[in-house]
CSV table of all heavy atoms in Angstrom, one decimal:
chain,number,residue,atom,x,y,z
A,1,CYS,N,136.5,108.6,40.3
A,1,CYS,CA,135.4,108.1,41.2
A,1,CYS,C,134.3,107.4,40.4
A,1,CYS,O,133.1,107.3,40.8
A,1,CYS,CB,134.7,109.4,42.0
A,1,CYS,SG,135.6,109.7,43.5
A,2,GLN,N,134.6,106.9,39.2
A,2,GLN,CA,133.7,106.1,38.5
A,2,GLN,C,134.0,104.7,38.5
A,2,GLN,O,135.2,104.4,38.3
A,2,GLN,CB,133.6,106.7,37.0
A,2,GLN,CG,133.1,108.1,36.9
A,2,GLN,CD,131.7,108.3,37.3
A,2,GLN,OE1,130.9,107.4,37.3
A,2,GLN,NE2,131.4,109.6,37.6
A,3,ASN,N,133.0,103.9,38.5
A,3,ASN,CA,133.3,102.4,38.4
A,3,ASN,C,133.1,101.8,37.0
A,3,ASN,O,133.1,100.6,36.8
A,3,ASN,CB,132.4,101.7,39.4
A,3,ASN,CG,130.9,101.8,39.1
A,3,ASN,OD1,130.5,102.6,38.1
A,3,ASN,ND2,130.0,101.2,40.0
A,4,GLY,N,132.9,102.7,36.1
A,4,GLY,CA,132.7,102.3,34.7
A,4,GLY,C,131.3,102.1,34.3
A,4,GLY,O,130.9,101.8,33.1
A,5,ASN,N,130.4,102.1,35.2
A,5,ASN,CA,128.9,101.9,34.9
A,5,ASN,C,128.1,103.1,35.4
A,5,ASN,O,128.0,103.4,36.5
A,5,ASN,CB,128.4,100.6,35.7
A,5,ASN,CG,127.0,100.4,35.3
A,5,ASN,OD1,126.3,101.2,34.7
A,5,ASN,ND2,126.5,99.3,35.6
A,6,PHE,N,127.8,104.1,34.3
A,6,PHE,CA,127.2,105.3,34.7
A,6,PHE,C,125.7,105.2,35.0
A,6,PHE,O,125.0,106.1,35.2
A,6,PHE,CB,127.3,106.2,33.5
A,6,PHE,CG,128.7,106.5,33.2
A,6,PHE,CD1,129.4,105.9,32.1
A,6,PHE,CD2,129.4,107.6,34.0
A,6,PHE,CE1,130.8,106.1,32.0
A,6,PHE,CE2,130.9,107.9,33.6
A,6,PHE,CZ,131.4,107.2,32.7
A,7,CYS,N,125.2,104.0,35.1
A,7,CYS,CA,123.7,103.8,35.3
A,7,CYS,C,123.4,103.2,36.6
A,7,CYS,O,122.2,103.2,37.0
A,7,CYS,CB,123.2,102.8,34.3
A,7,CYS,SG,123.3,103.5,32.6
A,8,ASP,N,124.4,102.8,37.4
A,8,ASP,CA,124.0,102.2,38.8
A,8,ASP,C,124.3,103.2,39.8
A,8,ASP,O,123.9,102.9,41.0
A,8,ASP,CB,124.9,101.0,38.9
A,8,ASP,CG,126.3,101.3,39.0
A,8,ASP,OD1,126.8,102.4,38.9
A,8,ASP,OD2,127.2,100.3,39.1
A,9,GLY,N,124.7,104.4,39.6
A,9,GLY,CA,124.8,105.4,40.7
A,9,GLY,C,125.9,105.1,41.7
A,9,GLY,O,125.9,105.7,42.7
A,10,GLU,N,126.8,104.0,41.5
A,10,GLU,CA,127.7,103.7,42.4
A,10,GLU,C,129.1,104.4,41.9
A,10,GLU,O,129.5,104.4,40.8
A,10,GLU,CB,127.9,102.2,42.5
A,10,GLU,CG,126.7,101.6,43.1
A,10,GLU,CD,126.9,100.1,43.1
A,10,GLU,OE1,127.9,99.6,42.9
A,10,GLU,OE2,125.9,99.4,43.6
A,11,GLU,N,130.0,104.6,43.0
A,11,GLU,CA,131.2,105.2,42.6
A,11,GLU,C,132.2,104.4,43.5
A,11,GLU,O,132.1,103.8,44.6
A,11,GLU,CB,131.3,106.6,43.0
A,11,GLU,CG,130.5,107.6,42.2
A,11,GLU,CD,130.7,109.0,42.7
A,11,GLU,OE1,130.8,109.2,43.7
A,11,GLU,OE2,130.6,109.9,41.8
A,12,THR,N,133.5,104.3,42.9
A,12,THR,CA,134.5,103.5,43.6
A,12,THR,C,135.7,104.5,43.6
A,12,THR,O,136.6,104.4,42.8
A,12,THR,CB,135.0,102.3,42.8
A,12,THR,OG1,135.2,102.6,41.5
A,12,THR,CG2,133.9,101.2,42.9
A,13,CYS,N,135.8,105.2,44.7
A,13,CYS,CA,137.0,106.2,44.8
A,13,CYS,C,138.2,105.5,45.3
A,13,CYS,O,138.1,104.6,46.2
A,13,CYS,CB,136.5,107.4,45.7
A,13,CYS,SG,135.1,108.4,45.1
A,14,LYS,N,139.3,106.0,44.9
A,14,LYS,CA,140.6,105.6,45.5
A,14,LYS,C,140.7,105.8,47.0
A,14,LYS,O,140.3,106.9,47.4
A,14,LYS,CB,141.8,106.2,44.7
A,14,LYS,CG,143.0,105.5,45.1
A,14,LYS,CD,144.2,106.2,44.2
A,14,LYS,CE,145.5,105.6,44.5
A,14,LYS,NZ,146.6,106.2,43.6
A,15,ALA,N,141.3,104.8,47.6
A,15,ALA,CA,141.4,105.0,49.1
A,15,ALA,C,142.4,106.0,49.5
A,15,ALA,O,143.4,106.3,48.7
A,15,ALA,CB,141.8,103.7,49.7
A,16,TYR,N,142.3,106.5,50.7
A,16,TYR,CA,143.2,107.6,51.2
A,16,TYR,C,144.6,106.9,51.5
A,16,TYR,O,144.7,105.8,52.0
A,16,TYR,CB,142.7,108.1,52.5
A,16,TYR,CG,143.5,109.1,53.2
A,16,TYR,CD1,143.3,110.6,52.8
A,16,TYR,CD2,144.5,109.0,54.0
A,16,TYR,CE1,144.1,111.6,53.5
A,16,TYR,CE2,145.2,109.9,54.7
A,16,TYR,CZ,145.0,111.2,54.3
A,16,TYR,OH,145.7,112.2,54.9
A,17,PRO,N,145.7,107.4,51.0
A,17,PRO,CA,147.1,106.8,51.2
A,17,PRO,C,147.3,106.6,52.7
A,17,PRO,O,146.9,107.4,53.6
A,17,PRO,CB,148.0,107.9,50.7
A,17,PRO,CG,147.1,108.7,49.8
A,17,PRO,CD,145.8,108.8,50.3
A,18,THR,N,147.9,105.5,53.1
A,18,THR,CA,148.1,105.1,54.5
A,18,THR,C,149.5,105.2,54.9
A,18,THR,O,149.8,105.1,56.1
A,18,THR,CB,147.6,103.7,54.7
A,18,THR,OG1,148.4,102.8,53.9
A,18,THR,CG2,146.1,103.6,54.5
A,19,ASN,N,150.5,105.4,53.9
A,19,ASN,CA,151.9,105.4,54.3
A,19,ASN,C,152.6,106.7,54.1
A,19,ASN,O,153.7,106.9,53.5
A,19,ASN,CB,152.6,104.4,53.5
A,19,ASN,CG,152.6,104.6,52.0
A,19,ASN,OD1,151.6,105.3,51.6
A,19,ASN,ND2,153.5,103.9,51.3
A,20,LEU,N,151.9,107.9,54.4
A,20,LEU,CA,152.4,109.2,54.2
A,20,LEU,C,153.5,109.5,55.2
A,20,LEU,O,154.2,110.5,55.0
A,20,LEU,CB,151.2,110.2,54.3
A,20,LEU,CG,150.2,110.1,53.2
A,20,LEU,CD1,149.0,111.1,53.5
A,20,LEU,CD2,150.7,110.2,51.8
A,21,GLY,N,153.5,108.9,56.4
A,21,GLY,CA,154.4,109.3,57.4
A,21,GLY,C,154.0,110.5,58.2
A,21,GLY,O,153.0,111.1,57.9
A,22,VAL,N,154.9,111.0,59.0
A,22,VAL,CA,154.6,112.2,59.9
A,22,VAL,C,155.4,113.3,59.4
A,22,VAL,O,156.7,113.2,59.1
A,22,VAL,CB,154.8,111.9,61.4
A,22,VAL,CG1,154.6,113.2,62.2
A,22,VAL,CG2,154.0,110.8,61.9
A,23,GLN,N,154.8,114.5,59.1
A,23,GLN,CA,155.6,115.6,58.6
A,23,GLN,C,155.1,116.8,59.2
A,23,GLN,O,154.0,117.1,59.5
A,23,GLN,CB,155.2,115.7,57.0
A,23,GLN,CG,156.0,116.8,56.4
A,23,GLN,CD,155.5,117.1,55.0
A,23,GLN,OE1,154.7,116.3,54.5
A,23,GLN,NE2,156.2,118.0,54.4
A,24,PHE,N,156.2,117.6,59.8
A,24,PHE,CA,155.8,118.9,60.5
A,24,PHE,C,155.9,120.0,59.5
A,24,PHE,O,156.9,120.0,58.8
A,24,PHE,CB,156.9,119.1,61.6
A,24,PHE,CG,156.8,118.2,62.8
A,24,PHE,CD1,157.6,117.0,62.9
A,24,PHE,CD2,155.9,118.4,63.7
A,24,PHE,CE1,157.4,116.1,63.9
A,24,PHE,CE2,155.7,117.5,64.9
A,24,PHE,CZ,156.5,116.4,64.9
């Protein structure tokens, strides 16, 4: 969750996977 700049207070988290399919 770091964008490489520890001074700007911004984070770039990886997006939630979208192709997980349906699982019972």
Side-chain angles (χ1 to χ4, degrees):
C1 275
Q2 296 294 340
N3 62 359
N5 186 343
F6 296 98
C7 298
D8 63 5
E10 295 181 4
E11 294 179 326
T12 54
C13 296
K14 186 175 180 179
Y16 186 88
T18 57
N19 59 338
L20 297 178
V22 177
Q23 179 182 4
F24 293 97

